Amino acid sequence: MEARTSLAALIAGLVGFALGAATLGFAALWIGISFLGHAPGGIHSDWALVVFFAALVCFAVGGAAGAKGAIRLAKSLRG
């Protein structure tokens, strides 16, 4: 295992994190806000906090998955 990370792998990881987090985080927010539109009380219901935390978790999971995939792709292209 290499001790140094190449600049290409680092940049790929950052871009992958941003794209993965944005994709999964915004999808979770879209579904959650749609759900809150049908909940009694709307955005002010007790479910708003659950939707918020679910979106945060999806943001983190999407970012980690995007970064891992992008780094693997960058390292495989490198050889």
mmCIF file of all heavy atoms in Angstrom, residues 18-47:
data_model
loop_
_atom_site.group_PDB
_atom_site.id
_atom_site.type_symbol
_atom_site.label_atom_id
_atom_site.label_comp_id
_atom_site.label_asym_id
_atom_site.label_seq_id
_atom_site.Cartn_x
_atom_site.Cartn_y
_atom_site.Cartn_z
ATOM 1 N N ALA A 18 -18.218 15.449 -3.368
ATOM 2 C CA ALA A 18 -19.174 16.529 -3.624
ATOM 3 C C ALA A 18 -20.344 16.049 -4.468
ATOM 4 O O ALA A 18 -21.508 16.342 -4.154
ATOM 5 C CB ALA A 18 -18.470 17.694 -4.311
ATOM 6 N N LEU A 19 -20.052 15.299 -5.534
ATOM 7 C CA LEU A 19 -21.135 14.822 -6.399
ATOM 8 C C LEU A 19 -22.019 13.790 -5.705
ATOM 9 O O LEU A 19 -23.243 13.835 -5.813
ATOM 10 C CB LEU A 19 -20.555 14.246 -7.687
ATOM 11 C CG LEU A 19 -19.914 15.256 -8.632
ATOM 12 C CD1 LEU A 19 -19.288 14.542 -9.818
ATOM 13 C CD2 LEU A 19 -20.922 16.278 -9.083
ATOM 14 N N GLY A 20 -21.404 12.846 -4.996
ATOM 15 C CA GLY A 20 -22.182 11.822 -4.294
ATOM 16 C C GLY A 20 -23.033 12.407 -3.186
ATOM 17 O O GLY A 20 -24.206 12.047 -3.018
ATOM 18 N N ALA A 21 -22.449 13.319 -2.420
ATOM 19 C CA ALA A 21 -23.193 13.937 -1.320
ATOM 20 C C ALA A 21 -24.341 14.789 -1.841
ATOM 21 O O ALA A 21 -25.451 14.748 -1.304
ATOM 22 C CB ALA A 21 -22.248 14.792 -0.474
ATOM 23 N N ALA A 22 -24.086 15.543 -2.893
ATOM 24 C CA ALA A 22 -25.137 16.392 -3.448
ATOM 25 C C ALA A 22 -26.272 15.547 -4.017
ATOM 26 O O ALA A 22 -27.450 15.829 -3.779
ATOM 27 C CB ALA A 22 -24.565 17.302 -4.530
ATOM 28 N N THR A 23 -25.920 14.493 -4.731
ATOM 29 C CA THR A 23 -26.944 13.657 -5.352
ATOM 30 C C THR A 23 -27.823 12.986 -4.309
ATOM 31 O O THR A 23 -29.051 13.100 -4.345
ATOM 32 C CB THR A 23 -26.283 12.589 -6.248
ATOM 33 O OG1 THR A 23 -25.493 13.243 -7.223
ATOM 34 C CG2 THR A 23 -27.320 11.728 -6.912
ATOM 35 N N LEU A 24 -27.198 12.270 -3.377
ATOM 36 C CA LEU A 24 -27.992 11.535 -2.390
ATOM 37 C C LEU A 24 -28.638 12.476 -1.374
ATOM 38 O O LEU A 24 -29.777 12.253 -0.954
ATOM 39 C CB LEU A 24 -27.116 10.502 -1.693
ATOM 40 C CG LEU A 24 -27.820 9.286 -1.131
ATOM 41 C CD1 LEU A 24 -28.586 8.564 -2.230
ATOM 42 C CD2 LEU A 24 -26.833 8.336 -0.505
ATOM 43 N N GLY A 25 -27.948 13.543 -0.987
ATOM 44 C CA GLY A 25 -28.511 14.481 -0.015
ATOM 45 C C GLY A 25 -29.726 15.220 -0.547
ATOM 46 O O GLY A 25 -30.743 15.338 0.134
ATOM 47 N N PHE A 26 -29.634 15.711 -1.779
ATOM 48 C CA PHE A 26 -30.775 16.429 -2.352
ATOM 49 C C PHE A 26 -31.930 15.496 -2.676
ATOM 50 O O PHE A 26 -33.091 15.882 -2.574
ATOM 51 C CB PHE A 26 -30.359 17.218 -3.585
ATOM 52 C CG PHE A 26 -29.577 18.454 -3.244
ATOM 53 C CD1 PHE A 26 -28.391 18.734 -3.882
ATOM 54 C CD2 PHE A 26 -30.029 19.337 -2.280
ATOM 55 C CE1 PHE A 26 -27.659 19.864 -3.570
ATOM 56 C CE2 PHE A 26 -29.305 20.468 -1.955
ATOM 57 C CZ PHE A 26 -28.122 20.732 -2.597
ATOM 58 N N ALA A 27 -31.619 14.259 -3.048
ATOM 59 C CA ALA A 27 -32.694 13.291 -3.273
ATOM 60 C C ALA A 27 -33.438 13.015 -1.970
ATOM 61 O O ALA A 27 -34.680 12.937 -1.951
ATOM 62 C CB ALA A 27 -32.135 12.000 -3.853
ATOM 63 N N ALA A 28 -32.700 12.881 -0.880
ATOM 64 C CA ALA A 28 -33.338 12.651 0.418
ATOM 65 C C ALA A 28 -34.170 13.864 0.838
ATOM 66 O O ALA A 28 -35.269 13.715 1.382
ATOM 67 C CB ALA A 28 -32.281 12.343 1.471
ATOM 68 N N LEU A 29 -33.654 15.056 0.596
ATOM 69 C CA LEU A 29 -34.427 16.257 0.926
ATOM 70 C C LEU A 29 -35.697 16.352 0.086
ATOM 71 O O LEU A 29 -36.763 16.712 0.599
ATOM 72 C CB LEU A 29 -33.581 17.510 0.709
ATOM 73 C CG LEU A 29 -32.652 17.891 1.835
ATOM 74 C CD1 LEU A 29 -31.796 19.085 1.422
ATOM 75 C CD2 LEU A 29 -33.410 18.202 3.092
ATOM 76 N N TRP A 30 -35.596 16.026 -1.186
ATOM 77 C CA TRP A 30 -36.760 16.089 -2.071
ATOM 78 C C TRP A 30 -37.840 15.109 -1.610
ATOM 79 O O TRP A 30 -39.020 15.473 -1.521
ATOM 80 C CB TRP A 30 -36.315 15.783 -3.496
ATOM 81 C CG TRP A 30 -37.413 15.810 -4.494
ATOM 82 C CD1 TRP A 30 -38.174 16.891 -4.836
ATOM 83 C CD2 TRP A 30 -37.900 14.725 -5.264
ATOM 84 N NE1 TRP A 30 -39.091 16.525 -5.790
ATOM 85 C CE2 TRP A 30 -38.944 15.203 -6.070
ATOM 86 C CE3 TRP A 30 -37.524 13.390 -5.364
ATOM 87 C CZ2 TRP A 30 -39.630 14.389 -6.948
ATOM 88 C CZ3 TRP A 30 -38.206 12.586 -6.246
ATOM 89 C CH2 TRP A 30 -39.254 13.087 -7.023
ATOM 90 N N ILE A 31 -37.434 13.884 -1.303
ATOM 91 C CA ILE A 31 -38.399 12.891 -0.827
ATOM 92 C C ILE A 31 -38.954 13.301 0.533
ATOM 93 O O ILE A 31 -40.154 13.187 0.784
ATOM 94 C CB ILE A 31 -37.739 11.500 -0.772
ATOM 95 C CG1 ILE A 31 -37.443 11.012 -2.183
ATOM 96 C CG2 ILE A 31 -38.625 10.496 -0.045
ATOM 97 C CD1 ILE A 31 -36.557 9.790 -2.243
ATOM 98 N N GLY A 32 -38.091 13.781 1.418
ATOM 99 C CA GLY A 32 -38.543 14.174 2.754
ATOM 100 C C GLY A 32 -39.492 15.353 2.741
ATOM 101 O O GLY A 32 -40.505 15.364 3.445
ATOM 102 N N ILE A 33 -39.206 16.356 1.942
ATOM 103 C CA ILE A 33 -40.088 17.522 1.872
ATOM 104 C C ILE A 33 -41.406 17.142 1.217
ATOM 105 O O ILE A 33 -42.469 17.632 1.611
ATOM 106 C CB ILE A 33 -39.382 18.685 1.156
ATOM 107 C CG1 ILE A 33 -38.267 19.217 2.058
ATOM 108 C CG2 ILE A 33 -40.354 19.799 0.805
ATOM 109 C CD1 ILE A 33 -37.378 20.244 1.417
ATOM 110 N N SER A 34 -41.347 16.243 0.246
ATOM 111 C CA SER A 34 -42.578 15.745 -0.356
ATOM 112 C C SER A 34 -43.421 15.011 0.690
ATOM 113 O O SER A 34 -44.640 15.161 0.733
ATOM 114 C CB SER A 34 -42.254 14.816 -1.515
ATOM 115 O OG SER A 34 -43.424 14.229 -2.024
ATOM 116 N N PHE A 35 -42.753 14.225 1.527
ATOM 117 C CA PHE A 35 -43.450 13.530 2.611
ATOM 118 C C PHE A 35 -44.063 14.515 3.591
ATOM 119 O O PHE A 35 -45.200 14.342 4.036
ATOM 120 C CB PHE A 35 -42.481 12.590 3.336
ATOM 121 C CG PHE A 35 -42.996 12.058 4.631
ATOM 122 C CD1 PHE A 35 -43.953 11.056 4.655
ATOM 123 C CD2 PHE A 35 -42.537 12.546 5.838
ATOM 124 C CE1 PHE A 35 -44.436 10.556 5.848
ATOM 125 C CE2 PHE A 35 -43.008 12.071 7.039
ATOM 126 C CZ PHE A 35 -43.966 11.061 7.042
ATOM 127 N N LEU A 36 -43.308 15.549 3.929
ATOM 128 C CA LEU A 36 -43.812 16.532 4.894
ATOM 129 C C LEU A 36 -45.002 17.310 4.347
ATOM 130 O O LEU A 36 -45.811 17.819 5.110
ATOM 131 C CB LEU A 36 -42.702 17.504 5.303
ATOM 132 C CG LEU A 36 -41.643 16.938 6.240
ATOM 133 C CD1 LEU A 36 -40.568 17.984 6.483
ATOM 134 C CD2 LEU A 36 -42.251 16.472 7.542
ATOM 135 N N GLY A 37 -45.114 17.397 3.040
ATOM 136 C CA GLY A 37 -46.263 18.073 2.446
ATOM 137 C C GLY A 37 -47.563 17.337 2.712
ATOM 138 O O GLY A 37 -48.628 17.945 2.723
ATOM 139 N N HIS A 38 -47.478 16.036 2.943
ATOM 140 C CA HIS A 38 -48.672 15.238 3.211
ATOM 141 C C HIS A 38 -48.867 14.946 4.695
ATOM 142 O O HIS A 38 -49.895 14.395 5.081
ATOM 143 C CB HIS A 38 -48.602 13.909 2.445
ATOM 144 C CG HIS A 38 -48.537 14.103 0.963
ATOM 145 N ND1 HIS A 38 -49.609 14.545 0.227
ATOM 146 C CD2 HIS A 38 -47.519 13.941 0.093
ATOM 147 C CE1 HIS A 38 -49.267 14.627 -1.037
ATOM 148 N NE2 HIS A 38 -47.985 14.280 -1.154
ATOM 149 N N ALA A 39 -47.897 15.289 5.523
ATOM 150 C CA ALA A 39 -48.003 15.037 6.959
ATOM 151 C C ALA A 39 -48.866 16.108 7.611
ATOM 152 O O ALA A 39 -48.877 17.265 7.166
ATOM 153 C CB ALA A 39 -46.617 15.037 7.591
ATOM 154 N N PRO A 40 -49.603 15.741 8.661
ATOM 155 C CA PRO A 40 -50.380 16.753 9.378
ATOM 156 C C PRO A 40 -49.445 17.795 10.006
ATOM 157 O O PRO A 40 -48.507 17.458 10.689
ATOM 158 C CB PRO A 40 -51.116 15.967 10.468
ATOM 159 C CG PRO A 40 -50.950 14.533 10.141
ATOM 160 C CD PRO A 40 -49.793 14.407 9.202
ATOM 161 N N GLY A 41 -49.668 19.038 9.731
ATOM 162 C CA GLY A 41 -48.824 20.106 10.245
ATOM 163 C C GLY A 41 -47.772 20.557 9.259
ATOM 164 O O GLY A 41 -47.102 21.560 9.484
ATOM 165 N N GLY A 42 -47.605 19.817 8.177
ATOM 166 C CA GLY A 42 -46.657 20.204 7.140
ATOM 167 C C GLY A 42 -45.232 20.259 7.634
ATOM 168 O O GLY A 42 -44.765 19.375 8.358
ATOM 169 N N ILE A 43 -44.519 21.296 7.253
ATOM 170 C CA ILE A 43 -43.107 21.441 7.597
ATOM 171 C C ILE A 43 -42.902 21.643 9.099
ATOM 172 O O ILE A 43 -41.816 21.416 9.625
ATOM 173 C CB ILE A 43 -42.485 22.592 6.777
ATOM 174 C CG1 ILE A 43 -40.962 22.567 6.841
ATOM 175 C CG2 ILE A 43 -42.987 23.936 7.242
ATOM 176 C CD1 ILE A 43 -40.352 21.539 5.975
ATOM 177 N N HIS A 44 -43.952 22.023 9.802
ATOM 178 C CA HIS A 44 -43.857 22.257 11.243
ATOM 179 C C HIS A 44 -44.237 21.032 12.057
ATOM 180 O O HIS A 44 -44.381 21.127 13.276
ATOM 181 C CB HIS A 44 -44.740 23.441 11.644
ATOM 182 C CG HIS A 44 -44.372 24.699 10.938
ATOM 183 N ND1 HIS A 44 -43.210 25.383 11.204
ATOM 184 C CD2 HIS A 44 -44.979 25.381 9.949
ATOM 185 C CE1 HIS A 44 -43.141 26.445 10.418
ATOM 186 N NE2 HIS A 44 -44.202 26.460 9.642
ATOM 187 N N SER A 45 -44.369 19.878 11.418
ATOM 188 C CA SER A 45 -44.741 18.667 12.150
ATOM 189 C C SER A 45 -43.527 18.094 12.878
ATOM 190 O O SER A 45 -42.386 18.542 12.693
ATOM 191 C CB SER A 45 -45.318 17.617 11.199
ATOM 192 O OG SER A 45 -44.298 17.079 10.393
ATOM 193 N N ASP A 46 -43.772 17.090 13.695
ATOM 194 C CA ASP A 46 -42.691 16.451 14.437
ATOM 195 C C ASP A 46 -41.771 15.642 13.530
ATOM 196 O O ASP A 46 -40.659 15.305 13.912
ATOM 197 C CB ASP A 46 -43.264 15.534 15.521
ATOM 198 C CG ASP A 46 -44.011 16.310 16.588
ATOM 199 O OD1 ASP A 46 -43.703 17.504 16.778
ATOM 200 O OD2 ASP A 46 -44.903 15.734 17.237
ATOM 201 N N TRP A 47 -42.217 15.332 12.326
ATOM 202 C CA TRP A 47 -41.415 14.541 11.399
ATOM 203 C C TRP A 47 -40.319 15.365 10.725
ATOM 204 O O TRP A 47 -39.421 14.799 10.083
ATOM 205 C CB TRP A 47 -42.311 13.929 10.324
ATOM 206 C CG TRP A 47 -43.155 12.828 10.860
ATOM 207 C CD1 TRP A 47 -44.464 12.898 11.196
ATOM 208 C CD2 TRP A 47 -42.738 11.489 11.127
ATOM 209 N NE1 TRP A 47 -44.903 11.686 11.658
ATOM 210 C CE2 TRP A 47 -43.863 10.803 11.622
ATOM 211 C CE3 TRP A 47 -41.543 10.807 10.999
ATOM 212 C CZ2 TRP A 47 -43.804 9.467 11.992
ATOM 213 C CZ3 TRP A 47 -41.482 9.481 11.369
ATOM 214 C CH2 TRP A 47 -42.605 8.830 11.853
#
